[in-house]
Amino acid sequence: MTGNRHWKISGLVILMVIVIGLVATQPALALSINGLNVTLDCTSWSYNAYDFTTDRDNTGANAEAYDIIITDGAGTLLHVVSNNGVGLGGPIYDGPTTNIIYNQGVAPLYNPLTFTWTSRSGNGYNAQIAYTTSGNCLGLPTFGASKGSSSKVIEGEVQFDPGDDRLNRETKDRAAPVAIYCVDWGIEIRVIDYPTSRGIDPPAITALTEQIDSVGVPDVNTLLGDHNGVQLYRLTTGEYAVFTHYANENKPYIFVWDQCPVPTKTYHAAV
């Protein structure tokens, strides 16, 4: 009886240690945003009144750093807002603000226009998308309508043939840091081996269909996988987004598509 009780207590202590360890190793969420609605047009962007709270110290100075970028459908950078650190806490109130002129001095050439607010990597944290949305400039062609098989032409853009069925296969993806696949069991993301241009096995991320279905179309952008500097999200639009960086560069690569197994729309939020 005493020995059995001792075993139960020891087992409980071990279980508590494991649970505490698991909680401690969970990644901190990026800044939380409440009520934000961004609209994008041909020359400017606007947003309503909203608030946000900084949640994780990715600077080592009790502050959270972030970047906001707006790109057109071809990945052309239209607007950049960078903040090297906002003190942890909140809520911090902002807006409404209208007709903010794109600050990179270039005009969009393709739809969709994409707004992405990202909490930076740093201090042991990976980058995380906190908010993203898209819009259109009336009269522009759409760049990124995708075929889902090996011979795609999108708005006249010649596609390269990587020798497999990856989704990200536009000419600009020749140097992409990852290969993205819709597979029978869900979604796979493989880091690229640059000498061979092939995806490294095993995948950095495998999101199973059951996991994807359980998330559904979320109310907030939801992380489906995070490994080896690669994050896979299900967005509030129902789209999927892969976020990573080019090797040895602090340059983001963000690829978005609408569905599996055969996408009808793909585009780059950053390339």
Side-chain angles (χ1 to χ4, degrees), residues 65 107 113:
L113 311 179

Side-chain angles (χ1 to χ4, degrees), residues 33 36-40 44-47 50 66-72 78-81 100 102 112-118 129-135 221 235 237 239 254 256 267-270:
I33 301 169
L36 177 61
N37 182 35
V38 172
T39 56
L40 306 166
S44 66
W45 61 289
S46 305
Y47 58 90
Y50 74 101
Y66 62 79
D67 297 293
I68 293 170
I69 63 171
I70 300 174
T71 57
D72 76 353
L78 305 177
H79 193 88
V80 178
V81 177
I100 306 166
Y102 297 140
L113 311 179
T114 302
F115 174 102
T116 306
W117 188 344
T118 303
I129 298 175
Y131 176 89
T132 186
T133 190
S134 60
N221 296 331
L235 306 180
T237 58
E239 297 169 311
I254 307 173
V256 184
Y267 61 91
H268 297 80

Side-chain angles (χ1 to χ4, degrees), residues 34-234:
N34 180 45
L36 177 61
N37 182 35
V38 172
T39 56
L40 306 166
D41 62 33
C42 298
T43 60
S44 66
W45 61 289
S46 305
Y47 58 90
N48 63 324
Y50 74 101
D51 65 80
F52 69 96
T53 300
T54 48
D55 298 324
R56 64 179 192 166
D57 180 12
N58 59 4
T59 64
N62 292 316
E64 185 165 4
Y66 62 79
D67 297 293
I68 293 170
I69 63 171
I70 300 174
T71 57
D72 76 353
T76 303
L77 196 60
L78 305 177
H79 193 88
V80 178
V81 177
S82 295
N83 194 308
N84 291 327
V86 176
L88 298 184
I92 300 165
Y93 297 92
D94 191 14
T97 304
T98 59
N99 300 322
I100 306 166
I101 301 299
Y102 297 140
N103 63 13
Q104 296 300 292
V106 295
L109 297 177
Y110 293 96
N111 286 320
L113 311 179
T114 302
F115 174 102
T116 306
W117 188 344
T118 303
S119 176
R120 290 184 194 167
S121 61
N123 199 28
Y125 296 111
N126 290 322
Q128 289 188 28
I129 298 175
Y131 176 89
T132 186
T133 190
S134 60
N136 289 288
C137 173
L138 187 63
L140 289 186
T142 297
F143 189 103
S146 136
K147 81 292 183 195
S149 72
S150 57
S151 62
K152 309 178 176 177
V153 176
I154 301 172
E155 295 294 341
E157 172 91 5
V158 176
Q159 308 297 291
F160 83 102
D161 183 2
D164 59 27
D165 289 328
R166 70 187 65 174
L167 305 184
N168 53 331
R169 55 193 305 127
E170 298 175 19
T171 52
K172 68 184 70 177
D173 290 311
R174 287 185 181 276
V178 293
I180 303 164
Y181 303 90
C182 290
V183 292
D184 291 342
W185 47 92
I187 297 170
E188 285 190 353
I189 318 295
R190 296 173 182 264
V191 174
I192 291 295
D193 174 50
Y194 282 106
T196 64
S197 297
R198 307 297 296 176
I200 296 172
D201 196 34
I205 295 174
T206 298
L208 299 177
T209 301
E210 293 80 4
Q211 176 193 3
I212 297 168
D213 289 346
S214 69
V215 169
V217 179
D219 294 329
V220 296
N221 296 331
T222 299
L223 193 65
L224 295 176
D226 182 354
H227 183 68
N228 202 23
V230 183
Q231 293 87 44
L232 170 64
Y233 288 87
R234 187 76 186 270

Side-chain angles (χ1 to χ4, degrees), residues 10-46:
S10 298
L12 179 60
V13 170
I14 292 170
L15 178 60
M16 288 176 66
V17 170
I18 292 172
V19 170
I20 291 171
L22 287 174
V23 171
T25 57
Q26 296 304 303
L29 296 177
L31 54 89
S32 53
I33 301 169
N34 180 45
L36 177 61
N37 182 35
V38 172
T39 56
L40 306 166
D41 62 33
C42 298
T43 60
S44 66
W45 61 289
S46 305

